Amino acid sequence: MSDVKKIATRESYGNALVELGKEHENLVVLDADLAGATKTGVFKKAFPERHIDCGIAEANMMGIAAGLAACGKVPFASSFAMFAAGRAFEQVRNSIGYPHLNVKIGATHAGISVGEDGATHQCNEDIALMRAIPGMVVINPCDDVEARAAVKAAYEYVGPVYLRFGRLAIPVINNEADYHFEIGKGITLKEGKDVTIIATGLCVNEALQANDLLAKDGIDAEIINIHTIKPLDEELVIASAKKTGKVVTVEEHSVIGGLGSAVCDALSQNAPTKVLKIGINDCFGESGPAADLIKKYELDAESIYKKVKAFL
């Protein structure tokens, strides 16, 4: 994988904002004293008059974003996922979600791959929190190409959107020339008949690598990338489950309330199927190198391969 281009989706977020800023004067970016880390600093440099540093006051930032949206602007409120979804939850729920305002939340540094920042900053609960807010769209892109497309789609969508980005540089697996992003539509990366593996975020690449190992054992897996967890592409999920009869979900998030829960909700109502949820197993993370944590918490390709094989 050394020759594969790698980029953190937080970098993609900053770059996409600059490109959109050139086209849309109503786009405003807010940050909570983390412009360097969230990569919105590149937007600040390009459009200083449209960048607002709200200081270490994430809840207040969400209120400001709500006010800007009510005045016709399209604000992107940016901070670490732990603060955007966790610390500011009440303001996101009541000031943005309840009036269904056109605010976009750019949440970076999500998941266990935050690494050395440790358990307090490794937000593995944000998807669950944001899924629970009525009308909130939740997007978790898998690479640079998908992340930049997601930011553009979020701008074009009228309503609140939660965008989840990572700190770790990850492989670019999509070809920009033929990639198409649509909110609420999953992508089948590989057809298969023995088992369906549904992944999101950085786990999409790991699922693809796990598939290579499964193929050596004669296991024909179907690989699906779910970038939009809410609204979920239920039609695709149900069709694949009916075809293979077994489903595995893989996410860099708690197994409670995230992708796995969304998939189980859809299948239990429409196509009861045996499901294995791979993710963070109801525990906190710890400080350490991102790659080591991904392996320890069994989100790497080898671990996924072993779990899927045992499941079958």
Side-chain angles (χ1 to χ4, degrees):
M1 297 292 291
S2 59
D3 58 340
V4 175
K5 180 181 178 182
K6 293 183 178 182
I7 185 169
T9 51
R10 61 173 173 149
E11 297 267 5
S12 314
Y13 176 53
N15 294 333
L17 288 174
V18 172
E19 292 306 308
L20 282 171
K22 295 175 183 177
E23 302 173 17
H24 307 285
E25 292 187 359
N26 65 347
L27 190 154
V28 181
V29 175
L30 292 76
D31 209 288
D33 201 35
L34 287 170
T38 63
K39 299 305 177 182
T40 60
V42 293
F43 183 91
K44 180 180 181 179
K45 184 176 180 180
F47 307 102
E49 73 286 357
R50 285 193 274 149
H51 181 278
I52 303 172
D53 189 341
C54 300
I56 306 174
E58 293 83 3
N60 186 51
M61 177 177 69
M62 296 304 175
I64 294 172
L68 288 167
C71 294
K73 302 295 185 182
V74 182
F76 280 76
S78 319
S79 187
F80 288 7
M82 189 67 252
F83 308 139
R87 179 177 293 168
F89 178 79
E90 180 192 345
Q91 285 70 29
V92 172
R93 178 191 184 274
N94 291 338
S95 298
I96 296 171
Y98 181 48
H100 199 72
L101 290 175
N102 194 29
V103 175
K104 320 304 171 183
I105 301 170
T108 69
H109 293 66
I112 203 82
S113 59
V114 173
E116 289 85 353
D117 286 357
T120 58
H121 285 51
Q122 293 163 351
C123 192
N124 297 308
E125 309 86 13
D126 56 320
I127 292 174
L129 288 168
M130 293 297 105
R131 274 186 69 220
I133 296 178
M136 179 70 73
V137 170
V138 180
I139 301 174
N140 186 35
C142 73
D143 71 353
D144 171 63
V145 172
E146 191 161 89
R148 287 186 286 111
V151 175
K152 181 179 179 181
Y155 173 86
E156 294 171 348
Y157 174 83
V158 179
V161 179
Y162 181 81
L163 294 151
R164 189 181 205 247
F165 304 110
R167 175 191 187 189
L168 181 67
I170 54 177
V172 178
I173 60 178
N174 287 299
N175 182 351
E176 189 165 12
D178 57 14
Y179 179 80
H180 174 69
F181 182 97
E182 185 177 351
I183 290 177
K185 293 295 182 182
I187 301 170
T188 301
L189 299 175
K190 177 191 170 293
E191 299 277 356
K193 59 180 175 57
D194 295 329
V195 62
T196 298
I197 302 177
I198 303 174
T200 188
L202 67 75
C203 291
V204 174
N205 177 66
E206 298 299 330
L208 287 170
Q209 300 304 311
N211 174 67
D212 292 340
L213 298 173
L214 291 166
K216 293 179 180 178
D217 289 341
I219 298 172
D220 185 20
E222 181 147 297
I223 311 296
I224 294 176
N225 167 24
I226 292 293
H227 50 63
T228 308
I229 299 173
K230 183 185 176 186
L232 181 74
D233 189 344
E234 294 189 0
E235 184 178 349
L236 176 61
V237 168
I238 292 166
S240 185
K242 287 181 176 179
K243 179 168 67 172
T244 66
K246 287 187 173 64
V247 172
V248 177
T249 61
V250 192
E251 59 192 311
E252 188 199 5
H253 182 273
S254 172
V255 292
I256 300 170
L259 172 66
S261 294
V263 167
C264 286
D265 287 347
L267 294 180
S268 64
Q269 282 189 314
N270 302 286
T273 308
K274 190 173 183 181
V275 178
L276 169 66
K277 295 195 289 186
I278 298 176
I280 306 301
N281 292 309
D282 195 23
C283 64
F284 289 102
E286 61 189 285
S287 181
D292 291 348
L293 290 171
I294 289 170
K295 185 173 183 179
K296 178 173 180 176
Y297 288 82
E298 300 183 321
L299 299 176
D300 62 302
E302 179 73 23
S303 298
I304 295 169
Y305 156 70
K306 289 179 179 178
K307 288 188 175 186
V308 173
K309 190 173 180 182
F311 178 60
L312 294 178

